[in-house]
Amino acid sequence: MKSIVLFVSAIAIIVGISSTTLSAGGHQNPAGILNMTITVPESEEKKVDAFFAEHASWMKKTHHLVGSMEPVITSYKILKSPVYKNPMNPADGTTGEIIYVISEEYKRPAGLQKHLEMGQKWERIKEMNEMFGKYIGMGKATFVAFPQVIQSYP
């Protein structure tokens, strides 16, 4: 329960922070990027796949690809892979876990800010908070928002 509260609190804090505050608080030019990872047991795969299918549907209904009305998203990806015992030699087998990487990039930091605000009203946000809260407390989830981009290509 403590992990869920910490995850929800982190989201609430980020939603309340403007990009100006972030810039003044640690780095210049924060990017409108959100990346999250979550590693779950293979037994949870179908449930998590279904959850992210719903998330993708919500994103397509509520986010713009062009224009000035936020959120304008330029890239949205949900990646998934088995966790390998030895990533340099997949033949060694897997750990029995699946890692998901959620990657969202917005045209402007204001787009990510709007996304986070809208997300707090999404019908499945409680389920998302519980899922990430559970795994973040086990060291199996990460959340990065408004990072400083230090290298990029192209």
Side-chain angles (χ1 to χ4, degrees):
M1 181 59 135
K2 183 178 178 183
S3 300
I4 295 168
V5 171
L6 290 173
F7 181 75
V8 173
S9 296
I11 298 290
I13 289 167
I14 289 169
V15 169
I17 296 175
S18 71
S19 59
T20 303
T21 303
L22 281 167
S23 178
H27 60 269
Q28 298 297 315
N29 303 317
I33 297 173
L34 172 66
N35 284 305
M36 300 185 296
T37 65
I38 187 166
T39 302
V40 302
E42 286 177 345
S43 62
E44 299 270 323
E45 182 178 10
K46 287 183 182 179
K47 176 181 160 187
V48 176
D49 282 358
F51 175 84
F52 284 126
E54 286 290 322
H55 185 262
S57 177
W58 175 75
M59 294 285 289
K60 290 173 186 173
K61 290 177 190 170
T62 60
H63 290 56
H64 309 283
L65 299 176
V66 296
S68 59
M69 182 175 232
E70 300 296 357
V72 178
I73 194 157
T74 59
S75 179
Y76 172 79
K77 294 177 179 68
I78 305 289
L79 312 171
K80 163 177 125 167
S81 174
V83 177
Y84 294 101
K85 291 177 182 175
N86 177 359
M88 300 306 288
N89 185 9
D92 287 351
T94 67
T95 65
E97 295 176 308
I98 303 288
I99 186 168
Y100 292 84
V101 178
I102 302 88
S103 180
E104 302 175 14
E105 187 167 345
Y106 295 84
K107 189 169 185 177
R108 297 168 285 274
L112 175 54
Q113 184 73 28
K114 182 68 174 177
H115 165 79
L116 292 170
E117 291 167 8
M118 291 168 53
Q120 294 304 303
K121 297 174 185 153
W122 179 41
E123 63 195 29
R124 297 196 65 189
I125 192 64
K126 182 179 179 193
E127 182 181 349
M128 183 175 209
N129 288 341
E130 288 172 354
M131 179 172 59
F132 274 87
K134 172 183 174 181
Y135 288 104
I136 211 165
M138 297 165 42
K140 299 280 187 174
T142 62
F143 183 87
V144 178
F146 300 101
Q148 178 182 21
V149 176
I150 62 169
Q151 297 293 324
S152 179
Y153 179 81

